[in-house]
Amino acid sequence: MYGLKSDITIDTHDALYCLEDYEKQAAKWCPGCGDHAVLTNIQKLCRDEQLDPAKTVFVSGIGCSSRFPHYMNTFGFHGLHGRAFPVASGIKYRRPDLSVFVITGDGDCCSIGAGAWIHAVRYNIDMTVMLFNNETYGLTKNQTSPTSRVGTHSNTTPHGSVIPPIHPVQTTLGVSNVSFVAQTVDWNPPHMYATLKAAHEHKGFSFVHILQRCPKFQANLVEKLTTSKDDLCLLNHENGITLDEATAKSFKHFEDHDPTDINRARMLAEDKDKIYLGLFYQNKNAVRYDQYGAANLGFTVDEKIEALNRELDKFAV
Ligand code: SF4
């Protein structure tokens, strides 16, 4: 049973689910880990959107952030390394009535899961994807990841990494049929919340790149990013991420950007001097593969067997 408890900021007359309905066991991430902030924001989003916990699924791969489904009182699938996308695609393809979220880390998505990631972007199946990028393999205690910047010292590159990193936003924007790409940081909860809300509202594959603190293994990086406002620049547009005035004013640098302009989005993603936060690109008309799968969902068992036989008969010689 779900009921009203505490921490309600929405109209309680219409609220069926409260924050506690989405909470499970206490998260086992390190103190100060950015994953905690994302979890809190997602639970709030679920509550504010009144998502039925029985019709909400969190799918993850392997890594620190991929423990996420264990902390949500919804359905979840903590699966194989790099394989969150195919699992989530299958779920949404056959159960379009479910809200599907994907949790993946920089190692999980950009290394072992890179092939699945690229094709998931192209298939544009409706799901909200959060890529937690802390530039390290945290769960296995500090190895250089595909997104680690040049010079990163770790167990695998003790003298400093030498290969330029993959930039997840840049890469996603390069895939055909891309439909939603945004970037946020875990240490600005209102910006992160607004970004995740916009991503959830988008019908298609919403890709949110989250710069995530790992104080355990990337303390210097965290210190630099969170204390200096000079590196961050807020993307501004009436069709971008809607922010309250106080959150918008917390930024020092701003850039006007129309999120329908993919060429400029790619240009901004390549900028090495600034980290742009907000909506890079949105195409509400991109082809969605899940819409094709929904055609035969009402079939009975007999109709399914008949359809299967019909298809198999095409191969008869
Ligand atoms: Fe978070 Fe890093 Fe600890 Fe993993 S190792 S839980 S990413 S702080």
Side-chain angles (χ1 to χ4, degrees), residues 25-31 33 36 39 64 67 71:
Q25 58 177 293
K28 289 180 182 162
W29 294 308
C30 305
C33 175
H36 293 285
L39 177 65
C64 287
R67 294 192 55 79
Y71 309 137

Side-chain angles (χ1 to χ4, degrees), residues 7 31 37 138 170 173 177 187 197 208 245 301 304 312:
D7 189 36
Q170 196 181 342
L173 285 168
N177 205 39
W187 56 94
K197 183 170 163 40
V208 182
E245 207 178 321
V301 173
K304 282 180 189 167
L312 290 173

Side-chain angles (χ1 to χ4, degrees), residues 57-227:
V57 192
F58 283 79
V59 183
S60 67
I62 297 295
C64 287
S65 58
S66 286
R67 294 192 55 79
F68 206 97
H70 296 272
Y71 309 137
M72 292 296 301
N73 195 22
T74 61
F75 279 94
F77 191 101
H78 185 186
L80 295 172
H81 207 0
R83 297 296 175 265
F85 293 117
V87 172
S89 298
I91 292 169
K92 188 67 183 182
Y93 194 69
R94 298 315 291 166
R95 289 292 306 270
D97 56 317
L98 304 183
S99 297
V100 178
F101 293 83
V102 168
I103 309 295
T104 182
D106 43 301
D108 190 62
C109 177
C110 306
S111 186
I112 192 168
W117 165 36
I118 300 302
H119 290 286
V121 176
R122 180 174 155 255
Y123 273 60
N124 192 33
I125 290 178
D126 185 26
M127 63 183 77
T128 306
V129 177
M130 286 163 271
L131 168 52
F132 292 58
N133 186 1
N134 55 19
E135 302 189 22
T136 184
Y137 285 86
L139 189 70
T140 46
K141 307 210 181 314
N142 196 25
Q143 291 84 31
T144 294
S145 97
T147 63
S148 303
R149 55 199 69 196
V150 169
T152 296
H153 295 267
S154 77
N155 294 332
T156 45
T157 55
H159 302 296
S161 61
V162 292
I163 304 174
I166 285 175
H167 193 292
V169 168
Q170 196 181 342
T171 306
T172 306
L173 285 168
V175 180
S176 61
N177 205 39
V178 57
S179 78
F180 184 104
V181 182
Q183 182 160 259
T184 188
V185 293
D186 77 55
W187 56 94
N188 188 331
H191 186 273
M192 177 175 34
Y193 180 89
T195 306
L196 293 174
K197 183 170 163 40
H200 175 66
E201 284 168 358
H202 174 76
K203 295 295 168 219
F205 186 93
S206 319
F207 182 83
V208 182
H209 182 229
I210 304 173
L211 303 183
Q212 179 238 317
R213 290 166 293 171
C214 173
K216 178 81 177 167
F217 298 119
Q218 291 287 352
N220 292 341
L221 182 63
V222 169
E223 170 77 13
K224 180 178 179 303
L225 281 172
T226 53
T227 53

